[in-house]
Amino acid sequence: MIVLKFGGTSVGTAKSIQQVVEIITQTEQPKIVVLSAVSGTTNSLIQISNHIKKGEVDDALLCVHQLHNSYLNLTGELYKTPNYKERARAFVATKFNGIKTLIETKESNNIDNIIVAQGEILSTNLVQLFLEESNVSSSLISALDFMEIDENKEPKINLISKRITPILNQNLSQKIWITQGFICKNELGEISNLQRGGSDYTASLIGAAIGATEIQIWTDIDGMHNNDPRFVENTFSIKEISFDEAAELAYFGAKILHPQSLIPAKENNIPVLLKNTFNPSSKGTIIKNKSVKSGVTAIAAKDGITAIKIKSYRMLMAYGFLKKVFEVFEKYETPIDMITTSEVAVSLTVDNTLHLEKIVKELNPFGKIEINTNLSIVCVAGDFSQNKEGVSAAIFNSLKGISIRMISYGGSNYNVSLLIKTHDKTAALNALNIGLFAKQFELQHY
Ligand code: ADP
Ligand code: ASP
Ligand code: MG
């Protein structure tokens, strides 16, 4: 069995949904199809729940009305027959009426999560109805019946496997199973989710749970590019990349993949293929266990980084000092991304600043604390087990004009991270693109 995940733009219009159906019906191979919400829907649903939080009931209802209208347009275009157009409209109306009732009655203390889950519930039901209209046999299964996270928001992989297997066994002749990405239940049985972009994670978790032979992530670009195409011109698609390199890139900002999404696939050695829904004949990117080449593979950047410098009051870094520092971050469940030390100081970066005030208060007795915000981590990923000198020289030559606040090098063979001002990010990504990839770009294009 294989898993195919389609992102928001892939199910964003009637035409793209038709394209998705073409892709999933091209082979006879049994498959689980994971769908995101129609693009823009999750953002709108979050906006609605933000209005509710602020008590702005009229604004919330207006947003519901606008979103509902966009679905009436979509269903009007997607279905061919009046019967199916009507069934789709009725389904959409039930969902939006449900949201309105929640807003008016405030009946649940989990309104946010219930509302944001409706995007994937809508898309999967509408696509399944379209398959039915197109005489393609498929079964819709609810992710809420098998996808569960524990109190630390970690998916329960064994439970997912235990629950999904009997569901699939109920109909062994079924070739197409449709389910929601992103949404899940928490340990209390309440509706929750796998965080923004989480449908990739759903696909990988299902792949691991059923022992899939391949996980395909279908999106709006020809696979993983060597640099962030939103900020850099002349990027190109990478044919093959290792799990370790791709995981570093996803964690450090390559939006094409949810940060955790490769972990289940890597642990179960299931290849992940990134493909373009709008250009299916393009090969895309294959992510596998083995690194295919040495040197730099790609660059990504993650914004919203805060640096914390602790300058010890003692001249020598005392034994046990770092342990005490880490314990503070552990207490406030705040992960550290980068760390560098000197004789008298240690600098750390975090992207979660929810508990920053409390952290700083507890760090104060250790030394003088300095905070820097609006920073970005630039991650250069590749296989650096050989020719390390060449890579570092090329990176620093490229970044001559840019001030680097921290460097992390040697933590793994797959990543060099640099901390810079977010203001310099676009310049840094472009300079690195020229410095590290100019030759490869020429090879790809001429
Ligand atoms: P989906 O809705 O299909 O999940 P996303 O918007 O989450 O799609 O991810 C695809 C987008 O990721 C691309 O359109 C592109 O702008 C962005 N992106 C950022 N970095 C990269 C990269 N290194 N390679 C490819 N795409 C990237
Ligand atoms: N719909 C969710 C989001 O927009 C999940 C996803 O698209 O992967 O974040
Ligand atoms: Mg995504």
Side-chain angles (χ1 to χ4, degrees):
M1 219 172 191
I2 59 170
V3 180
L4 288 84
K5 175 258 170 177
F6 292 88
T9 40
S10 301
V11 291
T13 62
K15 210 168 149 218
S16 63
I17 292 175
Q18 284 153 6
Q19 172 70 6
V20 166
V21 168
E22 201 147 292
I23 292 166
I24 61 181
T25 51
Q26 231 158 38
T27 63
E28 284 282 301
Q29 200 172 16
K31 49 186 75 87
I32 300 186
V33 177
V34 175
L35 301 179
S36 290
V38 168
S39 58
T41 297
T42 307
N43 285 347
S44 300
L45 293 170
I46 289 173
Q47 201 183 351
I48 291 166
S49 56
N50 286 341
H51 282 310
I52 300 172
K53 265 188 226 143
K54 293 189 209 147
E56 299 162 351
V57 172
D58 289 345
D59 292 324
L61 290 172
L62 180 66
C63 287
V64 174
H65 177 72
Q66 285 164 345
L67 191 60
H68 189 170
N69 273 343
S70 74
Y71 275 84
L72 293 182
N73 292 336
L74 176 69
T75 51
E77 267 182 61
L78 180 62
Y79 301 93
K80 295 177 267 297
T81 56
N83 173 24
Y84 276 88
K85 278 185 201 287
E86 192 38 50
R87 282 173 64 183
R89 275 198 200 117
F91 174 76
V92 167
T94 322
K95 290 287 127 193
F96 283 101
N97 288 337
I99 297 177
K100 278 189 216 154
T101 309
L102 267 178
I103 295 172
E104 279 153 2
T105 60
K106 300 188 185 66
E107 233 166 30
S108 163
N109 53 9
N110 190 29
I111 291 187
D112 286 16
N113 287 330
I114 297 174
I115 289 184
V116 86
Q118 301 310 311
E120 273 69 12
I121 293 174
L122 277 159
S123 65
T124 45
N125 277 276
L126 293 177
V127 168
Q128 212 245 344
L129 198 59
F130 180 63
L131 284 165
E132 194 186 304
E133 190 189 34
S134 311
N135 289 318
V136 178
S137 166
S138 69
S139 295
L140 177 60
I141 51 176
S142 172
L144 300 177
D145 290 339
F146 58 83
M147 195 56 72
E148 194 170 312
I149 50 173
D150 64 19
E151 60 281 11
N152 300 317
K153 298 195 163 55
E154 290 292 330
K156 298 181 182 172
I157 185 83
N158 290 335
L159 192 79
I160 299 167
S161 180
K162 217 166 108 190
R163 287 196 182 148
I164 198 168
T165 310
I167 300 176
L168 301 176
N169 284 345
Q170 274 169 18
N171 186 356
L172 289 170
S173 61
Q174 184 55 272
K175 294 274 198 295
I176 301 175
W177 301 86
I178 311 283
T179 194
Q180 300 86 19
F182 180 59
I183 65 173
C184 61
K185 289 233 174 124
N186 66 14
E187 78 284 4
L188 304 171
E190 299 163 336
I191 293 183
S192 187
N193 61 66
L194 302 173
Q195 312 294 322
R196 293 309 305 268
S199 300
D200 302 328
Y201 201 13
T202 304
S204 181
L205 286 164
I206 293 179
I210 63 163
T213 50
E214 185 171 84
I215 297 160
Q216 300 180 359
I217 307 286
W218 289 81
T219 182
D220 57 3
I221 189 163
D222 292 352
M224 175 79 83
H225 277 216
N226 70 310
N227 205 330
D228 195 322
R230 294 168 299 175
F231 305 102
V232 179
E233 273 180 34
N234 298 336
T235 62
F236 54 83
S237 166
I238 300 164
K239 289 190 180 58
E240 278 188 42
I241 185 168
S242 71
F243 277 119
D244 292 317
E245 294 163 311
E248 297 278 5
L249 291 164
Y251 185 74
F252 286 112
K255 187 179 174 244
I256 188 165
L257 285 172
H258 176 280
Q260 268 103 49
S261 60
L262 290 175
I263 300 166
K266 179 183 148 75
E267 278 173 359
N268 293 275
N269 198 11
I270 305 168
V272 176
L273 181 61
L274 307 180
K275 292 277 287 176
N276 188 349
T277 304
F278 307 98
N279 186 14
S281 60
S282 156
K283 286 211 163 57
T285 301
I286 183 89
I287 307 172
K288 299 198 288 200
N289 242 332
K290 278 258 155 43
S291 170
V292 277
K293 67 173 186 61
S294 69
V296 177
T297 311
I299 306 166
K302 179 169 161 183
D303 296 337
I305 305 295
T306 297
I308 303 159
K309 187 196 264 179
I310 308 146
K311 210 166 165 205
S312 172
Y313 291 131
R314 307 173 55 154
M315 272 314 281
L316 289 171
M317 187 84 80
Y319 177 69
F321 174 78
L322 281 180
K323 179 171 177 271
K324 286 188 211 143
V325 169
F326 286 146
E327 275 167 357
V328 175
F329 287 87
E330 192 189 336
K331 180 172 167 191
Y332 292 103
E333 294 178 354
T334 301
I336 296 166
D337 281 332
M338 281 177 82
I339 171 161
T340 56
T341 60
S342 79
E343 182 76 0
V344 289
V346 52
S347 282
L348 311 153
T349 72
V350 297
D351 69 348
N352 176 355
T353 52
L354 197 67
H355 303 294
L356 188 60
E357 236 173 83
K358 284 182 237 148
I359 290 173
V360 170
K361 207 167 161 201
E362 293 209 20
L363 290 176
N364 261 325
F366 301 152
K368 188 169 173 290
I369 313 293
E370 230 178 82
I371 305 287
N372 274 297
T373 54
N374 297 325
L375 301 171
S376 295
I377 294 176
V378 170
C379 160
V380 179
D383 184 345
F384 306 135
S385 45
Q386 291 149 24
N387 188 21
K388 287 190 165 87
E389 304 75 22
V391 171
S392 45
I395 292 174
F396 294 118
N397 273 336
S398 311
L399 294 177
K400 259 185 242 150
I402 287 160
S403 138
I404 301 170
R405 166 77 174 73
M406 270 168 78
I407 301 159
S408 173
Y409 184 32
S412 82
N413 277 332
Y414 307 107
N415 163 318
V416 178
S417 304
L418 306 138
L419 185 69
I420 59 169
K421 287 188 183 133
T422 301
H423 178 263
D424 293 332
K425 181 184 77 173
T426 304
L429 290 178
N430 279 281
L432 288 167
N433 211 50
I434 295 167
L436 303 177
F437 293 109
K439 277 208 190 85
Q440 286 179 50
F441 181 74
E442 275 166 30
L443 286 176
Q444 304 264 338
H445 292 267
Y446 300 103

